[in-house]
Amino acid sequence: MRHVIKFCWAVALSLTALSPAAWADDYQLSHNQRISCSRGLAPGKLNTATCKSYTYLFNTKTSEYFRCQVSLALTRDNKEVINVQTDGGCTKRPRIFETDGKYDFDATETEPPNTNSFFGPGGYSIWAADVGAQKVRGCITISSGLGSDISKCLDMTFQ
C-alpha cells in the first residue's frame, strides 16, 4: 500500500509542476479526489491489488476542464512484489459556458461499478458557477452502456 501512496503523491506533485505559462489561464484542481482499490486472487496464489484515482482540472477562465485518472496495479506472492504497473492521463472535455469569465467549480463521480450497475462504469457530475454573476450550471455525464457517454447541462433558476 505504501507504493500506492508514494505513487499518488508523485502524481500530485507532477500536476503542480506544470509550466508557469500553463497556469496563466488560472487552472483549479477539484477538491474531492477519490481513490478506490480492489483485490483479486490469481492462479498460483498470486495477489493483485488495483487502485484508481481521479481528479478534475478546471480552467477558471474558459470553463474547459480535464478529467484525469491514474491507476496502479500491484501483483505479489507471499514473499515479494512481482509486478507493478501504472497508467493514467487527462482527457479534455468541452466548455461548460460558451464565453470566457471567472468561474468556480466542483466535481464528483459515482461509485465504482458493481453487480447492480445498469449503465456500466457510472458517471460524473460537474457544477460550475460564474463568480461575477448569479449563474450556476450543473452537468451530468453517464455511460450509455453502448459505447458513447451521454452528457447534459442545465442552468439553474433562482426563486
Side-chain angles (χ1 to χ4, degrees), residues 83-102:
N83 189 16
V84 176
Q85 295 179 349
T86 58
D87 189 22
C90 296
T91 305
K92 187 176 182 178
R93 305 299 296 175
R95 293 174 73 124
I96 295 174
F97 292 103
E98 295 76 25
T99 58
D100 287 357
K102 183 66 177 161

